[in-house]
Amino acid sequence: MPTNKAELPAIPAKRYFTIGEVSELTGVKQHVLRYWEQEFSELRNVKRRGNRRYYQHGEVLLVRKIRDLLYDDGFTLQGARQRLQGGNAEQAPLTAQQVRKELQSIVDWLDISLGKE
């Protein structure tokens, strides 16, 4: 499975993609895609013939965006949902990296305050 944006293949010019194809195009496993369908209302697939899932081009792009928010930017599911729904930057939750940085600055301040430089 590709692990970063540069490794993801180009999306072919097709109307519908199977869940297996979407998995390959986005680097997200099929069971995770099924889970995300429950968590993100924006992610809607089409079910046809024997209840098989088919995704359109826009949904493949959306899966890539969700993947970027969760895996690359460190958002939680709730934070990614808010970001997709257009939450502004002031209300957006902090990423894991931002929380670590903030906590480190608090630890540094405490060390200075307690004379543990």
Side-chain angles (χ1 to χ4, degrees), residues 28-93:
V28 177
K29 294 185 179 186
Q30 294 181 28
H31 68 276
V32 176
L33 289 170
R34 288 189 212 76
Y35 176 69
W36 286 358
E37 290 171 10
Q38 297 170 0
E39 294 296 320
F40 296 94
S41 60
E42 299 88 349
L43 188 58
R44 295 189 180 102
N45 60 41
V46 177
K47 288 193 180 178
R48 297 168 43 186
R49 287 184 262 160
N51 230 9
R52 292 184 52 138
R53 290 172 166 79
Y54 290 93
Y55 296 84
Q56 293 184 0
H57 189 270
E59 277 120 14
V60 177
L61 293 173
L62 180 60
V63 168
R64 282 187 173 184
K65 182 169 183 130
I66 292 169
R67 178 189 181 278
D68 291 344
L69 289 170
L70 295 175
Y71 296 169
D72 298 337
D73 298 337
F75 280 88
T76 62
L77 287 172
Q78 180 182 357
R81 258 194 306 274
Q82 287 178 355
R83 179 61 59 103
L84 288 174
Q85 292 170 354
N88 66 31
E90 290 179 335
Q91 294 176 339

